[in-house]
Each structure stands twice: as structure tokens, then as C-alpha cells.
Amino acid sequence: MDKMERYKKAANFIEERLNTQPAVGMILGSGLGQMAEYIEGKRVIDYSDIPGFPVSTVEGHAGRLVAGELMGQRIIAMQGRFHYYEGYPMEQVVFPVRVMRLLGVKRLIVTNAAGGVKKGFKPGDLMVITDHINLMGYNPLIGTNVDEMGERFPGMTKAYDRDLIDTALGCAKGLEIEVRQGVYCGVTGPSFETPAEIRMLGIIGGDAVGMSTVPEVITAVHCGMKVLGISCITNMAAGVLHHAPNHKEVLEVGKRVQEKFILLLKEILREI
Ligand code: HPA
């Protein structure tokens, strides 16, 4: 079966099982899974039931698709995502994005937990992603191009949609939630960075660092989606303020910020 057939098979299966034509897709990062509980008329399907889908393994990632309505939008949310560091080929990491495209998703909201690189950021801050730097040493579009999805050499000049960024900033202001803006550096992990690596990320223009998002965003832009990315700064990155990050802290801060994050996301869904 070629790639396109595999995407179609998964999309048809989901369409039948969930009876959904979503317009907005969401990828819920570490600690944000709760967001899916607010979806009305919820229909759920485990990744393990979907043909072609990889299965998530990390603690704090549920591993299911949730479809329904939220703030008047038909949405489909990934509760848990696939990370390159788990050992999946990049093609599998981004598989769900292409399936979402076939389901009709035109706008994708991607969230993640990230380490703060920029001085002045604090754990618990939310950062609207304005751009990214791909430091994974790989690109999800490597291999034969799937022409039905997009062109061979897609531009990434406006990977993060300016209108969606402005809407997010406006919503945050209205809710009196302070948000940062910045550049997300995508690394493979799973080891956290060294202090020297974090100094480098600051020098090359990074404001936050994390182990996800970049592959999904490249794939989404390739297939014509408009993307909004928001990071939850769960910790200061290695060496910033003599900090040593750990996964427990990432999950704990993610949980603490969840309420504020959900409030913002709901408002954004209402506005777009
Ligand atoms: N580094 C990389 N990824 C992360 C971090 C970090 O400090 N925090 C949350 N995800």
C-alpha cells in the first residue's frame, strides 16, 4: 500500500467510527490532555484501534483521538502525540497530521511543554510560537513526496499563521492572561540539553526548547493547514539560573498551568 492509501484507510476508519468532519485539529501536549474533557458530544477512539497509527508510550500521554464540538467548532483532538525519541520513524510521528488533513482539518492548534531559554521567561508562562528552528537533524518530508498532500519544496516563511497568532494574543489580552511570544527550537531528546547547548540555542535565536511540534508543523504547512502553536514553559532550560530540568517538573507545572491554558484555547476556538 502506498503512503496515501494508508492515510486514506485511517481517515475512512475514523470518519466511520467517529462520524466526524472536523474543521479544527488540536494536538494536546504533556499535561494538557484534560482539554479534551471539555469537548461536547465526545466521540473517542484509541490510537491502537486505528489502522496505521503508532501507539504512544510516554507517561502523561493518553493516546486517543477525541472528536466533537467545542465553542461552536467541529474539532478533533489528539490526546497524546508521537515523539521521535520514542523510536518511531518520522513518517509515523506525522501520520496523524496527514490523516487529519484528509478528515478536513484546515487549521491546526499545536501545544507542547517546553523549556524556557530566554531570560525573563518563568515556569508556568505560555508562549505563542512565532517561528521554529528545526534541530532534529531530520525532516518529516524526506522521502518520496506525497503530491496529493503538497509540493516537494514547501515554503516555511509563514509556518505559524500571523492571523492566528494575532487572534491568540488578542484572546489572551481579553482574558488578562499574560503570554510571551517566541521561537521554538525542536530537538530530538530524550536527554535534556546541556547548559552549553542551551547557551547556543539562545545565541541562534531560540526562546524555548522542546522535543516535539516541529515535525507536525512542517507536515501541516506542507499540506496547506494554518498552524497556531502554543508552548507551556514548564521549566527553565538547563543551566539557565543553574537549572537542571526533569520530567516530573514538566508534568507538575503542565498540570498547574492547565486551567489557564484551557481557558485561552477555548477563547481562541470561539474567535477563529
Ligand atoms: N528541554 C527539552 N524539552 C523540554 C524541556 C526542556 O527543558 N521542558 C519540557 N520539554
Side-chain angles (χ1 to χ4, degrees):
M1 220 188 310
D2 74 8
K3 285 195 237 178
M4 197 62 194
E5 278 173 46
R6 287 205 297 272
Y7 305 139
K8 277 184 186 156
K9 191 168 168 198
N12 289 341
F13 185 85
I14 294 164
E15 216 157 33
E16 265 172 38
R17 282 280 295 267
L18 299 185
N19 183 27
T20 181
Q21 266 106 40
V24 178
M26 297 187 85
I27 303 179
L28 304 174
S30 310
L32 239 201
Q34 198 65 31
M35 172 82 187
E37 305 310 323
Y38 292 83
I39 297 174
E40 293 152 21
K42 225 168 9 134
R43 276 104 56 204
V44 176
I45 187 168
D46 286 338
Y47 294 155
S48 54
D49 291 338
I50 307 169
F53 254 61
V55 181
S56 187
T57 58
V58 184
E59 185 199 345
H61 298 264
R64 53 190 206 156
L65 275 181
V66 184
E69 285 210 12
L70 190 53
M71 311 307 281
Q73 296 279 2
R74 283 174 285 120
I75 74 168
I76 190 153
M78 286 182 71
Q79 211 174 14
R81 59 147 61 81
F82 304 106
H83 300 87
Y84 193 42
Y85 64 71
E86 290 176 85
Y88 301 110
M90 203 53 113
E91 208 173 288
Q92 290 270 284
V93 172
V94 301
F95 187 90
V97 174
R98 289 181 156 171
V99 172
M100 282 198 255
R101 184 69 196 87
L102 291 183
L103 288 170
V105 168
K106 297 208 174 54
R107 284 178 294 191
L108 184 67
I109 302 177
V110 186
T111 67
N112 59 52
V117 172
K118 188 170 178 162
K119 300 223 166 61
F121 280 12
K122 302 184 303 291
D125 280 349
L126 297 178
M127 184 189 88
V128 175
I129 304 175
T130 53
D131 206 347
H132 74 219
I133 301 176
N134 180 8
L135 294 165
M136 292 190 167
Y138 201 75
N139 190 298
L141 304 179
I142 288 174
T144 41
N145 187 50
V146 184
D147 295 331
E148 295 99 319
M149 284 287 167
E151 58 186 312
R152 174 72 288 190
F153 300 107
M156 290 289 143
T157 326
K158 292 178 184 154
Y160 298 83
D161 184 72
R162 190 65 237 180
D163 290 341
L164 289 177
I165 292 173
D166 288 341
T167 301
L169 296 176
C171 289
K173 197 163 179 210
L175 293 168
E176 296 183 357
I177 294 173
E178 198 195 345
V179 288
R180 314 285 195 166
Q181 295 180 60
V183 174
Y184 176 92
C185 297
V187 296
T188 64
S191 55
F192 286 111
E193 303 71 33
T194 64
E197 286 165 345
I198 294 304
R199 281 196 299 277
M200 177 192 75
L201 298 186
I203 290 167
I204 65 173
D207 299 305
V209 58
M211 304 173 193
S212 67
T213 300
V214 164
E216 293 113 311
V217 171
I218 292 172
T219 305
V221 172
H222 175 246
C223 65
M225 290 182 186
K226 291 199 163 140
V227 175
L228 174 68
I230 306 180
S231 294
C232 171
I233 305 297
T234 51
N235 57 279
M236 289 318 287
V240 184
L241 310 171
H242 306 288
H243 195 73
N246 64 77
H247 188 53
K248 187 160 163 271
E249 172 187 51
V250 171
L251 292 180
E252 276 171 8
V253 176
K255 231 173 234 162
R256 174 160 67 75
V257 178
Q258 187 156 240
E259 206 175 313
K260 166 171 89 169
F261 207 161
I262 289 173
L263 209 62
L264 177 61
L265 288 170
K266 282 168 73 174
E267 190 62 19
I268 293 168
L269 283 173
R270 198 197 354 219
E271 286 296 316
I272 63 175

